[in-house]
Amino acid sequence: MKRYEPPAGWVVQAYKFALDPGDTQTGSLRRNTGAARFAYNHMLRRVGAVQAQRAAEASYGVSEADLTPWQGWSLPDLRRTWNEIKQWVAPWWAACSKEAFNTGLANLSAALGNWHASRTGARKGRRMGWPRPKRKQAQRSARFTTGAIRVDPGYRHVVLPRLGRIRTHESTRKLARRIRAGTAQILSATVSETAGRWFCSFQVAVRRDHNRPAHAPRAGRVVGVDAGVKHLAVLSTGELVPNPKPFNAALKKLGKAQRRAARRIGPYDPATRSKRTASKRWQRAQDAVTRLHATVAAVRADSWHRLTTRLAQQFDTVVVEHLHVAGMIRNRKLARSLADAAPATLRRHLGYKTGWYGSILYVADRWYPSSKTCSACKTAKPKLSLAERTFNCTTCGLSLDRDVNAARNLADLVRHVDLELPGDAKTGRGAYVRSVRPAPAGWAAGDEASRPSGVNAGRQRTAADREFTFTH
């Protein structure tokens, strides 16, 4: 499937609304999301069976021309095969939208493509295994790309194919006004269930003029942001953004809910190591645990959205670190706190919000010692343990909170960089995302006389120069 590329000045973003469906509509939602899961599982078994059959035939010396026909896993191949067999394997297929089955087939095509890319080395990261079947307990979702997809003029309903008008818990005024003004166009809609609640997420192409809201005056040109655990983030201005620690706050309630669920009759009997029918009380206890986890995730997401939106609106340039969170979380003493803070969310959100509001995002090099370097004299310490929460410089005598010191060092990284970038220097998402490395020792912020010589020295930077990492 070809990826949608928005025109110049437009970005793709999501508008998510909580739904309030009736009993009949809830049954239709579950039926369509179940159809997506069924198509995924059935075609996954078919692809695996064809592969196993071909391998068995090849082991007996059968020629390539006489082997069982290959089952391709591209979306057109999967869709073609499904249309040929659906009347036998799913005689109820007419009761669901064709987009529901297409959702499962598209997910399977992507999963198998990622598995093959990982196996051949084309995909970076941890080696991926063969896709697993989706269980009924998995999150239900279905994506609609064609048909009647719109928001109701009354701001209280959404219209989806085969599902009709569904009431929403909140007003859809923001999206409806943009569509009426011609500055937004709905591309697709995805319905999903989280902790017993149904949501509808619209993928929308929106035209943005990169203007800052009137209520968000510029507080400064450059700000360094140091993500942490004790505080959600520390700004170079000295502001300490509190960390709500939602998982730690819900830990006591979560423990009680999980102990209550453990006392119920679940689907697995540990004594006989066999499956059994779970009781309704067990299901209600599991639902309570799920709702607690959903609340924790919602509080965490809200905290990061509030902070990143404020940074993108109020500052011209935001500098963050490129944190290796996957490596940091291996420390078992910090794993829970790091997962609760989710520091990688900072860079992900700013990556697109800075493009929305016309600001610039710089990402410092992963190995830049922002915490070990003095923000006043730029002297770097060889070691600095996590237990030392105050940075004490032995050269100039500076004594400062280590996180504030790190944030100031991040802000100083781009003092020498021209901040007014032309429009053609944007990334594909409209954001100015640059990777910078520290200047040499002794290069004071704004000190043009001490700028080192090199290919970029003594001339005006162009848009092409800014596409590369700043190295000295």
Side-chain angles (χ1 to χ4, degrees), residues 39-246:
Y40 179 97
N41 290 341
H42 181 82
M43 294 307 298
L44 176 61
R45 290 192 297 267
R46 185 182 182 90
V47 172
V50 170
Q51 281 191 336
Q53 181 66 21
R54 287 174 62 90
E57 293 172 353
S59 65
Y60 287 111
V62 180
S63 62
E64 181 68 24
D66 297 331
L67 291 178
T68 300
W70 177 259
Q71 173 61 59
W73 57 58
S74 66
L75 181 56
D77 290 340
L78 293 175
R79 188 184 296 164
R80 189 180 304 111
T81 304
W82 172 258
N83 288 332
E84 293 174 355
I85 65 174
K86 63 182 181 182
Q87 55 185 337
W88 293 286
V89 300
W92 42 264
W93 65 271
C96 303
S97 172
K98 64 182 180 64
E99 293 291 336
F101 300 106
N102 189 71
T103 300
L105 300 179
N107 292 341
L108 177 60
S109 177
L112 290 172
N114 291 336
W115 166 77
H116 184 263
S118 176
R119 189 181 182 187
T120 57
R123 178 187 174 94
K124 296 181 180 179
R126 189 187 310 175
R127 189 179 179 91
M128 296 186 63
W130 182 258
R132 297 179 182 179
K134 292 184 179 294
R135 302 183 301 171
K136 288 186 178 181
Q137 291 79 10
Q139 184 184 30
R140 300 183 177 95
S141 66
R143 184 169 181 256
F144 300 90
T145 57
T146 60
I149 305 174
R150 64 179 184 272
V151 291
D152 196 77
Y155 306 144
R156 274 301 181 181
H157 294 81
V158 297
V159 180
L160 300 174
R162 297 298 297 272
L163 298 175
R165 295 173 72 252
I166 305 177
R167 184 173 176 82
T168 60
H169 273 288
E170 50 196 328
S171 175
T172 61
R173 182 181 291 106
K174 288 186 177 181
L175 177 57
R177 285 180 175 177
R178 278 191 173 273
I179 295 175
R180 190 184 306 115
T183 59
Q185 179 183 359
I186 296 178
L187 304 177
S188 65
T190 302
V191 292
S192 60
E193 184 187 21
T194 302
R197 299 186 63 187
W198 287 93
F199 297 87
C200 180
S201 177
F202 291 100
Q203 187 184 34
V204 186
V206 179
R207 187 177 68 193
R208 286 190 171 271
D209 299 328
H210 307 296
N211 294 329
R212 297 174 186 268
H215 64 274
R218 298 186 180 184
R221 295 186 62 82
V222 182
V223 62
V225 186
D226 181 71
V229 174
K230 183 178 180 181
H231 298 94
L232 193 66
V234 177
L235 310 186
S236 57
T237 59
E239 179 183 355
L240 306 178
V241 182
N243 184 4
K245 300 181 181 179

Side-chain angles (χ1 to χ4, degrees), residues 373-374 376-380 438-452:
T373 305
C374 177
C377 64
K378 303 305 177 186
T379 301
W443 186 0
D447 188 2
E448 300 296 331
S450 61
R451 177 173 294 184

